[in-house]
Amino acid sequence: MKVSDFNYNLPKELIAQVPIQNRDQSRLMVLDRKCKSIDHKIFKDIIDYLEPGDCLVRNNTKVIPARLYGVKEETGAHVEFLLLHRIQGDIWEVMVKPGRKLMPGTKVIFGEGLLEKSDNPRVLLKAEILEQLEGGSRKVKFEYEGIFNEILNEIGLMPLPPYIHEKLKEKDRYQTVYAKYEGSAAAPTAGLHFTDELLEQIKAKGVEIANVTLHVGIGTFRPVKVENVEEHDMHSEHFYIKQEDAEKINKAKREGHRVIAVGTTSCRVLESIADENGMVKEIESDTNIFIYPGYQFKCLDYLITNFHLPESTLIMLVSALAGKDFVMKAYEEAVQEEYRFFSFGDAMLIK
């Protein structure tokens, strides 16, 4: 199976640069796997496809303002950090620019002069590069006074994907309304379409809502560099699921109802932990599961997702669920119908 099998032509103007004004007014393409039919709806219509007893599984991770701009302590040269994940304590794995000038031993200052107008100007954050890691990232130790997350909120920026060039006016638009646990370098974007009101309507219909937490790594944007799909080395991401949420999912499976994953991250958690009967349990672990055509789903019944990059692991995942030919046909139709693509774009329901 070739990576090029998952390519499609996408005009740049269809890549959504800003979020739609009302989250649940984005468009929704509905793919029926049995009939091989495609319908065009509005996202708030998602409730019409959910039944009492179904379980909607969402990822409640929260994006941290992980992009930092600073200067080298010795030279004042400008540098950029992107926090990937916390290794331990104040030691993080970080992507850096320019990489050739940020070798072990280099010290970096962030937030210098930000509080010049105050009576107590100070450097908010310092970092020392400890080690160069495989893939070009760095192991970095931070020094600071106060609470790290509060400092990030003061000086960090949302780590928008590289294909978004517009500045984000409201930070919370790159968060789901149910984001809770900080740790992601990217948003689980299928969840961006939900509003509090829509979720209340879904609950009122008798649909259970279960949470998983998977902290999305920047690897989600890394291109597949091998020619054969099977040779791709999938990045690892940390996740956990609580017992009460596992029980909601298992109840739906036992009673013959459907499990609907909100996004590929929720899907990957479910399929990483499900047994042969589709049952799950409370667990905290890491997953590098790679789902591509030929995979047999154990837990998932429906998937809510966005439109993904050509030749990405995510379009391979949806192709595993709906079939490559059907998915590529749907993407071709989405281009013709001028759907909005990628993180701030429109949504798809595969049923």
Side-chain angles (χ1 to χ4, degrees), residues 33 144 287:
R33 288 179 285 165
Y144 53 91
T287 180

Side-chain angles (χ1 to χ4, degrees), residues 10-138:
L10 178 66
K12 288 184 179 180
E13 59 268 22
L14 296 185
I15 301 174
Q17 294 297 311
V18 295
I20 194 170
Q21 184 174 359
N22 298 316
R23 291 175 183 258
D24 62 359
Q25 291 298 309
S26 57
R27 297 168 74 185
L28 177 69
M29 177 181 276
V30 181
L31 273 60
D32 188 318
R33 288 179 285 165
K34 290 182 180 178
C35 303
K36 299 299 181 186
S37 63
I38 299 173
D39 289 322
H40 304 282
K41 302 287 185 177
I42 300 298
F43 189 81
K44 66 178 182 179
D45 298 331
I46 196 81
I47 193 169
D48 297 334
Y49 297 92
L50 306 177
E51 301 291 342
D54 287 347
C55 186
L56 188 72
V57 184
R58 63 191 188 184
N59 182 6
N60 62 5
T61 187
K62 191 170 186 177
V63 186
I64 59 174
R67 195 176 299 279
L68 296 167
Y69 292 95
V71 295
K72 290 175 67 175
E73 189 174 55
E74 289 185 2
T75 65
H78 291 273
V79 301
E80 177 185 342
F81 275 24
L82 179 62
L83 307 185
L84 298 184
H85 77 275
R86 189 193 302 269
I87 296 173
Q88 182 180 14
D90 293 322
I91 298 176
W92 286 70
E93 181 183 357
V94 177
M95 287 184 69
V96 299
K97 289 184 183 178
R100 65 187 183 280
K101 294 186 178 180
L102 292 167
M103 292 292 119
T106 305
K107 295 184 178 180
V108 179
I109 295 171
F110 301 96
E112 185 180 27
L114 192 69
L115 303 179
E116 285 178 352
K117 296 180 181 179
S118 73
D119 295 331
N120 183 29
R122 69 186 192 279
V123 171
L124 294 183
L125 190 63
K126 288 186 177 183
E128 180 179 356
I129 296 176
L130 302 179
E131 184 181 341
Q132 183 169 345
L133 301 175
E134 188 177 348
S137 60
R138 304 291 194 271

